[in-house]
Amino acid sequence: MRTCTYACESDAHLLNRRGFLGASASGLAGLLGYTNLTTAAAELNKINKRMLVIFLAGGVSQLETWDPKPGTDTGGPFRAIPTSVPGIHVSELLPQTARQMHRMSIVRGVNTAEDEHGRGEIIMLTGRRPEAGIQYPHIGAVTAKLLQPGNAELPGHIHISPSAGSSFNKADAGFLGPQFASVTLGDGKPPADLLRPSGLTHDADASRESLRQMLNDKFAKSRRSAQTDAYASSYEQAAKVVARADVFDASKEDPKVAERYGKHDFGRHMLLARRLLEHGVPFVKVTHSNYDTHHENFDFHIEQLGEFDRPFATLLTDLSERGLLESTLVVVMSEFGRTPRINERYGRDHWSKAWSVALAGAGLKPGSVVGKTNANGTAVTEREVNGGHLFHTYLKALKLKSTANFYPDDRPVPIADPKASSIDEILA
């Protein structure tokens, strides 16, 4: 299943219960097989932190968002507007976001040196360039492993996709195993199998469960093994998720609050993300598509950022008013930015050499900007960083030790790229 059709016709973003319960089930089996939880992780489980990634898929233009260059040969038609922090300007396409700058940080010197969609996304989500022979876990899997309590009832790594259909994406957990893989909620809707069938009464369901438990106990007395224990535990975990099905229903939110987010898809998805985080899910990713603007870049950004601006600003306000922003790291990223040069189709192409990422919340200095590009945005001139630096920064903001190791197969593997370090200028 393709999340969106990219203008460059890349096949990089292919996505593919049976899902939801299956995710929990196979995931728990993975956990049982992975026992080297670090001391740091055990400590971190006591800290109530969470992370939200808003992924602007296709590559949002830094020039139409966080690093405008009005009046230059590359700047395009839009103005730069002041924000709630004196001296910091963003594109006029983000008027409500501009009023949230005192809660945000911007990194303007990102150079990931990768202009291909799939590889760029891997760099941004794993903090490393793709390597043969090893599949590094995405930041969602890492934070789920390090932040989620062992007795958690809900999945720790959820992806809200604009496409329809649920899925379980074991590849994004890498060597951490399926326990920490993402569960996709297509169009922000809970999987159909999550709810008890309408034709099955509560009493009938309880009788079936009692029979299953009796047969399971009888089987375990004669043929118990690690595999049967894993199966039984997985089933129990899945039952916990079913019992919390209401958490996935954003329609239970106050209609007035929902109105502030907007009734369009992205507004609904952002409201659901806040609801999941508030109910204890440690990592949520929301994808907003499709920013691959090789054609009509400016008209597209007027439309798409018009949809992004209000829900994003509302989310930051909502998290702050609920006392959650101090413990929630919010990151707005893409796989890369767009070319400063405007092509003959009034579009901008792929550009990874000088672009921007926006952050807010936990562990960050609000109202800060680090990194700088030259006058027309073609190169980074100050504090150049890559995906590895950002990955370290996310972990440190969440009070995680980014220089610690995981131990798949008893072999130490650094959690974050040891060749990079955190961007301390924006860390509180």
Side-chain angles (χ1 to χ4, degrees), residues 16-57:
N16 74 40
R17 197 173 157 179
R18 187 149 170 89
F20 200 71
L21 299 182
S24 296
S26 59
L28 189 60
L31 177 63
L32 293 173
Y34 192 95
T35 57
N36 290 307
L37 190 66
T38 64
T39 302
E43 294 175 355
L44 293 166
N45 282 339
K46 302 174 185 176
I47 302 172
N48 187 23
K49 299 286 184 182
R50 60 197 69 82
M51 180 173 180
L52 169 65
V53 165
I54 304 166
F55 197 87
L56 305 183

Side-chain angles (χ1 to χ4, degrees), residues 88-141:
I88 299 178
H89 291 67
V90 297
S91 169
E92 66 174 318
L93 299 181
L94 298 171
Q96 297 195 50
T97 299
R99 293 195 281 273
Q100 299 293 323
M101 190 61 226
H102 59 289
R103 295 179 170 133
M104 298 174 57
S105 304
I106 299 175
V107 178
R108 283 177 171 160
V110 182
N111 180 0
T112 42
E114 177 56 63
D115 292 336
E116 193 273 326
H117 284 292
R119 293 175 62 86
E121 183 172 2
I122 289 174
I123 290 170
M124 290 304 295
L125 292 175
T126 69
R128 288 175 163 96
R129 303 189 72 80
E131 295 179 21
I134 187 168
Q135 196 162 24
Y136 291 104
H138 288 199
I139 183 66

Side-chain angles (χ1 to χ4, degrees), residues 218-270:
K218 183 177 181 181
F219 183 86
K221 287 179 181 176
S222 59
R223 300 182 183 179
R224 182 177 182 181
S225 66
Q227 286 72 27
T228 58
D229 282 352
Y231 173 82
S233 297
S234 299
Y235 199 95
E236 292 167 4
Q237 178 68 20
K240 292 179 182 176
V241 176
V242 171
R244 299 291 306 278
D246 63 313
V247 172
F248 300 91
D249 187 358
S251 69
K252 295 185 181 300
E253 292 286 334
D254 184 338
K256 293 181 179 177
V257 175
E259 180 69 30
R260 290 170 52 221
Y261 280 83
K263 293 183 178 179
H264 50 72
D265 290 347
F266 185 63
R268 289 190 297 105
H269 298 168
M270 290 287 278

